[in-house]
Amino acid sequence: MRLILQPGTKIVVATHNPGKARELAEILENRFDLVTAGQLSLAEPDETETTFEGNALLKARAAAQASGLIALADDSGLSVQALGGAPGIYSARWAGETKDFGVAMARIEQDLRSSGASDLRAWFTCALAVAWPDGPAVVVEGRVAGNLTFPARGDRGFGYDPIFVPEGETQTFGEMEPARKDAMSHRSRAFAQLRAALL
Amino acid sequence: MRLILQPGTKIVVATHNPGKARELAEILENRFDLVTAGQLSLAEPDETETTFEGNALLKARAAAQASGLIALADDSGLSVQALGGAPGIYSARWAGETKDFGVAMARIEQDLRSSGASDLRAWFTCALAVAWPDGPAVVVEGRVAGNLTFPARGDRGFGYDPIFVPEGETQTFGEMEPARKDAMSHRSRAFAQLRAALL
């Protein structure tokens, strides 16, 4: 089986979030016939792996196996150097059931203060996995390095964007024009790799 | 980056076991310039993932990152239905530091007896991962289903082979001619997928 995604291929996106599915469709330039795991009522697997790539692969495998379709999944998060890489794969979980990233950002600030560390380096990671049912899977990872800043600034983007200033920039991802953020984001870098590999 | 392995490509095999590296070289029909993680003195990462594919990917990523070369890693094991899939990813660890699979096979027999289960179904899994440094990774998985038999029979193969009879067969993997085992094994199936995808 050649690892090529033909235009028009039906792909299940392993997310139950319609906004995320729409965003993925745009990134994929509407080249594919996308359905979501939510639309197909697929169960969401537990994210039991210890790495972004491992969890993206696990989610893509589960969706491909349950649907019989090629599946795309992502896993992403923020890693803070002075916190040993936390929250990392737990980035979404730190925001809790209500997805309150204000709480999660406050926790990072608090943990950094408690640790006494002055090192504010951090990086975002986005892992993407494409799995063929009963076949191979392709996994890529994009990263962007930067520094944290407190208090949070900007109401664009989502998640931890308002406390993250990419290297060489002065604005946080929360303040940046979407097109400017897209030009350097972990997610864009992961998709660029995936496109280069599979399209 | 196209996901193709050109003949002659230098590939680091993420194993410290020279016998395993030799076996992989044969399976790859000596098409590549193979070195082992042991020859390059690369550290062995902890196998922290919960799936065969996750651990194969983790080992390939670590070797690719440390060496700057394309890396190949495998992870394999035996899963027993009535033991909830155990030993699974812990198959090698059940054999201990001394790699005594006699002990590990006795433990399976004992655990099955303790559980009172009469279901002897089991399957071998082999996951393979090829990782490009700072690039994509391809992951495949091969499986073979069968039934356990006690006492162990045959001194060919390795690991749990002497207690595993593949579906439709009467001999254990430990009794079978190597060529016959190779025609149906989880490892062969994984390599067939990898060849189809990358060569």
Side-chain angles (χ1 to χ4, degrees):
Chain A
M1 178 188 299
R2 292 251 62 92
L3 297 172
I4 299 288
L5 292 177
Q6 300 292 348
T9 302
K10 189 164 187 177
I11 298 178
V12 57
V13 179
T15 176
H16 288 248
N17 179 336
K20 204 170 185 182
R22 207 158 40 235
E23 187 195 40
L24 293 175
E26 280 166 23
I27 290 175
L28 293 169
E29 296 163 22
N30 297 306
R31 262 190 257 217
F32 303 101
D33 178 12
L34 300 189
V35 291
T36 67
Q39 287 169 329
L40 299 180
S41 303
L42 306 181
E44 289 184 270
D46 289 336
E47 300 183 14
T48 52
E49 302 290 61
T50 63
T51 62
F52 294 106
E53 287 197 327
N55 280 326
L57 178 58
L58 180 147
K59 287 186 271 188
R61 278 291 185 216
Q65 191 178 337
S67 67
L69 298 170
I70 296 173
L72 168 68
D74 77 325
D75 198 53
S76 55
L78 177 72
S79 301
V80 179
Q81 184 71 41
L83 301 182
I89 58 165
Y90 301 103
S91 292
R93 283 168 267 190
W94 276 31
E97 290 276 324
T98 59
K99 301 191 198 297
D100 187 340
F101 283 92
V103 168
M105 289 189 283
R107 179 168 166 193
I108 290 178
E109 187 176 12
Q110 180 60 48
D111 286 1
L112 278 172
R113 193 172 294 150
S114 303
S115 75
S118 57
D119 182 352
L120 290 171
R121 286 176 298 166
W123 64 96
F124 273 117
T125 303
C126 173
L128 295 170
V130 174
W132 276 257
D134 297 317
V138 174
V139 189
V140 299
E141 197 168 273
R143 273 179 294 275
V144 55
N147 287 279
L148 299 183
T149 185
F150 300 98
R153 302 196 317 253
D155 52 12
R156 286 169 163 154
F158 54 89
Y160 299 91
D161 283 356
I163 57 169
F164 183 81
V165 180
E167 256 172 27
E169 300 293 323
T170 53
Q171 291 185 309
T172 68
F173 267 169
E175 294 172 306
M176 233 176 243
E177 290 282 351
R180 188 170 176 82
K181 178 188 165 192
D182 284 349
M184 69 184 80
S185 81
H186 50 306
R187 183 174 288 266
S188 305
R189 287 173 181 173
F191 268 99
Q193 273 198 48
L194 199 65
R195 271 195 299 267
L198 297 181
L199 297 188
Chain B
M1 179 190 298
R2 292 252 63 92
L3 297 172
I4 300 288
L5 292 177
Q6 301 291 349
T9 302
K10 189 164 186 176
I11 297 178
V12 56
V13 178
T15 175
H16 287 248
N17 179 334
K20 204 170 184 182
R22 204 157 43 234
E23 187 195 39
L24 292 176
E26 280 166 23
I27 290 176
L28 293 169
E29 296 162 21
N30 297 306
R31 262 190 256 216
F32 303 101
D33 179 12
L34 299 190
V35 292
T36 67
Q39 287 169 329
L40 299 179
S41 304
L42 305 182
E44 290 184 270
D46 289 336
E47 300 182 15
T48 52
E49 302 290 61
T50 63
T51 62
F52 295 106
E53 287 197 328
N55 280 326
L57 178 58
L58 180 147
K59 287 186 270 187
R61 278 290 184 215
Q65 191 177 339
S67 67
L69 298 170
I70 296 172
L72 167 70
D74 77 325
D75 198 52
S76 54
L78 177 72
S79 301
V80 180
Q81 184 72 39
L83 302 182
I89 58 165
Y90 301 102
S91 292
R93 284 168 266 190
W94 276 31
E97 289 277 322
T98 59
K99 299 190 198 298
D100 187 340
F101 282 92
V103 168
M105 289 188 283
R107 180 168 166 192
I108 289 177
E109 187 176 12
Q110 180 60 48
D111 286 1
L112 278 173
R113 192 171 295 150
S114 304
S115 75
S118 57
D119 181 353
L120 290 172
R121 285 177 298 166
W123 65 96
F124 274 118
T125 303
C126 173
L128 296 170
V130 174
W132 276 256
D134 297 316
V138 173
V139 189
V140 299
E141 197 167 272
R143 273 180 293 275
V144 56
N147 287 280
L148 299 183
T149 185
F150 301 98
R153 304 194 317 254
D155 53 12
R156 285 169 163 154
F158 54 88
Y160 298 91
D161 282 355
I163 58 170
F164 183 82
V165 180
E167 254 171 28
E169 300 292 323
T170 53
Q171 292 185 309
T172 68
F173 267 170
E175 296 173 305
M176 234 176 243
E177 291 281 351
R180 187 167 176 83
K181 177 188 165 193
D182 284 350
M184 70 185 78
S185 81
H186 49 306
R187 183 174 287 267
S188 305
R189 288 174 182 174
F191 269 100
Q193 272 198 48
L194 199 65
R195 272 194 299 268
L198 297 180
L199 298 188

